[in-house]
Amino acid sequence: MMPMFRFLLATLFYRLANGLLFLSVAWNLVRTAQDGAMSLAISSIAGFLPAVLIAQFARRVLERVDSRKLIVAGIAGLLLLSLAFVPVLRWPTAILAVNFIVLLVFFMLEGTWDALLATLAGGLPPAQADALNARQSAATQAGLMLGGLPIGILTQLGGAALSFCVAAGLYVIAIALLVWMPRPVPAPVSVAAGVADGVPTTGPKAPVAVPWYALLTLALVWPCFTLINMAMPLLANAFGGAVEHASLLDAMIGLGMGTTGLLYGIFGKLKQRGRQLAVVACTVFVPLPFILLTIMGYSLWPLAAGFFLSGVGFGLFRVSVRKDLIATQAAHRVGQIVFTCNGFGFPILVVVALLYAVSWANGSVVPLVAFTVF
């Protein structure tokens, strides 16, 4: 299990770096640009465009290149790009330009991480594969959201540039852990003909169609994350006035998503019908923080609790969908599906980001609708 432990640690440090880097970029845009909301929207749209542009290229690359080597090379690029922000922090246009390249690399790696996870899970018994999926999802979501938590302290200690340097250091640790990890044994190219209660059945191998709701869920993941990443700094800057508010709210939804890994260890033991009912029950909490914003306005601690429960529902549903993909698809196919769904999510992201940029001061209708649909 040591390779799996290193894989989970590498995931955690990579996502911590992502979370710190993304919140640092968003906060600097809000503080330096005259129209921070529109700058965030433009940054999100321009940043997600690479997910569309590289989808076909990435699908082919995953069939030919070892996923671990591709991840290591990509993280090395993110390390250098993190440092590239430091000399341009006073110019919003330059921040947007560097951020475009950052997200180009980031989205290239998204499907690659899922392909590596599927490769590792394919060599494990079903119970251990489920546990790895849940724990990797917990590390992913918790790291992504908790990474921004120390940004306030880092800014006070070393100015705006320090958080970008710390993100680069976290990327170094992630690279070291991946290089140290033994080369994973690829899972079989073919997949199980069927799945019984979440466990692949034996028998003839054949492709399995991906349900439409799974594709729609994966397509909505990044539009929803975009609204979160826009809402945190905008609300904190307008009502809280401090980056600590943004990092706290970010951390709470991350803790909720991290809790998903613990909860899924319980839900994963239920029958398929019981597991589905439990996941649906928890997804009721997904739009909760935006319901609270609509009803009672900005109130830090109720919002923090709402974002925690939202993270639980959001993360649990995403883990459930990914479990089904790993159980029914070849490893490289899992990554290809993620790339494709990211591309489908682009027009949704454009619409919700622009609508929220022009309407956020009048309420949280846009994220409320988006999270309710999810």
Side-chain angles (χ1 to χ4, degrees):
M1 289 302 292
M2 280 302 294
M4 306 307 165
F5 182 67
R6 293 169 193 165
F7 170 71
L8 293 174
L9 275 182
T11 299
L12 179 61
F13 279 101
Y14 172 72
R15 296 301 182 175
L16 286 170
N18 290 159
L20 181 57
L21 183 62
F22 293 163
L23 186 57
S24 299
V25 170
W27 185 251
N28 276 278
L29 285 174
V30 168
R31 301 291 284 185
T32 60
Q34 292 182 346
D35 188 352
M38 188 55 67
S39 293
L40 285 175
I42 293 172
S43 175
S44 300
I45 293 169
F48 201 80
L49 184 59
V52 181
L53 298 177
I54 67 171
Q56 292 302 319
F57 169 75
R59 286 164 61 92
R60 294 188 179 94
V61 168
L62 277 181
E63 295 176 352
R64 296 172 173 83
V65 181
D66 178 76
S67 56
R68 186 182 60 158
K69 292 180 180 178
L70 190 58
I71 291 172
V72 170
I75 297 176
L78 290 175
L79 187 162
L80 297 175
L81 288 166
S82 300
L83 299 176
F85 279 107
V86 175
V88 300
L89 290 178
R90 295 183 180 180
W91 299 283
T93 304
I95 294 175
L96 290 173
V98 177
N99 197 49
F100 179 86
I101 305 174
V102 165
L103 292 173
L104 176 66
V105 178
F106 173 79
F107 282 113
M108 179 68 198
L109 295 184
E110 280 301 279
T112 312
W113 275 103
D114 284 329
L116 180 57
L117 169 65
T119 300
L120 293 170
L124 297 174
Q128 292 183 20
D130 285 350
L132 180 64
N133 173 32
R135 290 166 186 169
Q136 200 263 355
S137 181
T140 294
Q141 309 305 338
L144 194 60
M145 297 302 176
L146 289 173
L149 189 60
I151 187 173
I153 297 174
L154 293 174
T155 302
Q156 293 175 11
L157 291 175
L162 183 57
S163 60
F164 293 93
C165 296
V166 171
L170 293 171
Y171 283 133
V172 170
I173 298 174
I175 291 173
L177 288 166
L178 286 170
V179 170
W180 189 27
M181 188 179 77
R183 186 177 185 273
V185 178
V189 174
S190 55
V191 295
V195 175
D197 209 23
V199 179
T201 61
T202 57
K205 306 294 184 180
V208 178
V210 181
W212 66 268
Y213 64 84
L215 297 175
L216 180 60
T217 299
L218 292 172
L220 284 172
V221 165
W222 281 106
C224 289
F225 276 155
T226 295
L227 290 173
I228 292 173
N229 290 334
M230 290 179 66
M232 301 294 188
L234 286 172
L235 293 171
N237 188 52
F239 301 105
V243 69
E244 287 82 3
H245 282 220
S247 61
L248 175 63
L249 296 177
D250 224 17
M252 292 308 294
I253 195 169
L255 285 173
M257 291 179 177
T259 303
T260 297
L262 300 176
L263 291 178
Y264 206 80
I266 300 173
F267 293 154
K269 297 177 182 178
L270 300 175
K271 295 292 185 180
Q272 186 172 7
R273 181 63 176 171
R275 186 171 62 248
Q276 289 174 343
L277 290 174
V279 170
V280 170
C282 287
T283 55
V284 173
F285 296 121
V286 170
L288 180 59
F290 300 104
I291 293 175
L292 293 176
L293 273 171
T294 303
I295 294 174
M296 58 188 299
Y298 184 88
S299 181
L300 182 61
W301 292 109
L303 270 182
F307 273 114
F308 173 81
L309 293 174
S310 178
V312 171
F314 192 97
L316 190 59
F317 193 62
R318 191 182 181 204
V319 170
S320 179
V321 169
R322 195 166 63 170
K323 168 188 168 68
D324 292 339
L325 283 181
I326 291 174
T328 60
Q329 305 295 324
H332 77 277
R333 178 64 178 154
V334 173
Q336 291 176 336
I337 291 169
V338 172
F339 283 128
T340 301
C341 290
N342 283 344
F344 289 154
F346 179 69
I348 303 173
L349 183 145
V350 171
V351 172
V352 298
L354 291 176
L355 285 176
Y356 189 54
V358 299
S359 65
W360 73 274
N362 299 318
S364 301
V365 176
V366 174
L368 176 58
V369 172
F371 274 70
T372 302
V373 171
F374 178 87

